[in-house]
């Protein structure tokens, strides 16, 4: 896998990602963020897929998972799911596993 983003398809404003767009992190297209952008940072609703197969669907604030969201972690036994509130990229408070 290459280092850094490999392609961005979406809107720009003043040289930064803005609006809606999809950023691919690998040339295979299997690791990406698809959603809202503000001033070059993930913002609003979006979906992030990591090379590990982990997936987050939910809200982002200034580049961080924040607000309501669902994370699916891939494990050797299958997967683990968390649905709830996120603060600063971490599950916060009561959610469902």
């Amino acid at each position: 896998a290459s280092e850094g983003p490999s392609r961005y398809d979406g809107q720009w404003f003043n040289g930064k990602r803005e609006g809606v767009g999809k950023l691919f992190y690998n040339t295979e297209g299997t690791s990406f963020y698809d959603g809202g952008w503000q001033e070059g940072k993930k913002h609003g609703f979006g979906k992030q897929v990591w090379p590990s197969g982990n997936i987050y669907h939910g809200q982002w604030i200034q580049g961080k998972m924040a607000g309501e969201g669902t994370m699916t972690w891939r494990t050797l036994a299958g997967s683990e799911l968390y649905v709830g509130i996120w603060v600063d990229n971490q599950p916060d408070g009561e959610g469902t596993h």
Side-chain angles (χ1 to χ4, degrees):
S2 63
E3 290 186 25
S6 67
R7 189 176 86 227
Y8 175 72
D9 296 330
Q11 299 169 314
W12 293 87
F13 183 72
N14 286 338
K16 294 182 179 179
R17 296 176 187 100
E18 183 79 23
V20 178
K22 188 170 186 176
L23 180 65
F24 295 91
Y25 295 102
N26 59 14
T27 55
E28 299 82 13
T30 56
S31 178
F32 61 87
Y33 169 79
D34 188 7
W37 295 89
Q38 186 177 64
E39 297 182 357
K41 295 180 181 178
K42 300 167 192 168
H43 195 82
F45 185 83
K47 175 182 179 181
Q48 173 89 40
V49 179
W50 283 269
S52 62
N54 295 345
I55 301 170
Y56 174 81
H57 290 265
Q59 295 175 313
W60 297 78
I61 297 175
Q62 293 297 304
K64 295 184 178 183
M65 295 177 284
E68 294 182 29
T70 300
M71 175 72 89
T72 305
W73 290 275
R74 302 291 175 213
T75 66
L76 293 176
S79 64
E80 181 182 337
L81 181 73
Y82 172 83
V83 179
I85 301 298
W86 292 77
V87 175
D88 199 21
N89 287 333
Q90 299 295 319
D92 186 67
E94 293 186 30
T96 57
H97 280 273

